[in-house]
Amino acid sequence: MFHLTRRFQAGLPLFWLAAGLFDSLMLLALPSLALLAWLLLRHLRIVRMVGVAPWASVRFARHVMVDDLMRLSAHVLLSPVLYLCGGIIGAAL
């Protein structure tokens, strides 16, 4: 569950570069929204496990959610640069 999130976040720059290559603004927002939905579902799953799993607690769920949202926001700040680089590469091809 936690390893998948890091892999998804590592793939975001490639999606934004591809969105620039295809010159599609809709593709720019799609990976971020999909990852945000994944984070929300994972947060709800952790909160449901409170009381059942020994590692799950509300504080842990909040910590994980805030950490992942901060990481996602840092990646999103990078997205316009990668989109423009992809557009330049697409125009050159």
Side-chain angles (χ1 to χ4, degrees):
M1 176 169 57
F2 299 107
H3 298 292
L4 281 176
T5 304
R6 291 187 192 264
R7 289 183 182 154
F8 290 154
Q9 287 180 346
L12 283 176
L14 295 175
F15 284 113
W16 292 324
L17 193 64
L21 284 171
F22 294 123
D23 197 27
S24 173
L25 283 176
M26 185 58 181
L27 287 178
L28 185 66
L30 191 62
S32 300
L33 292 175
L35 186 60
L36 185 61
W38 166 259
L39 293 176
L40 181 63
L41 289 174
R42 189 184 69 176
H43 175 73
L44 293 175
R45 182 172 180 244
I46 293 172
V47 169
R48 274 195 313 261
M49 293 177 78
V50 171
V52 177
W55 53 268
S57 68
V58 175
R59 282 188 172 175
F60 176 73
R62 287 181 189 151
H63 166 73
V64 169
M65 187 66 169
V66 168
D67 183 51
D68 286 335
L69 286 177
M70 293 300 290
R71 193 172 292 144
L72 179 61
S73 64
H75 278 108
V76 168
L77 288 175
L78 184 67
S79 68
V81 174
L82 292 171
Y83 178 79
L84 291 175
C85 289
I88 291 170
I89 292 170
L93 294 176

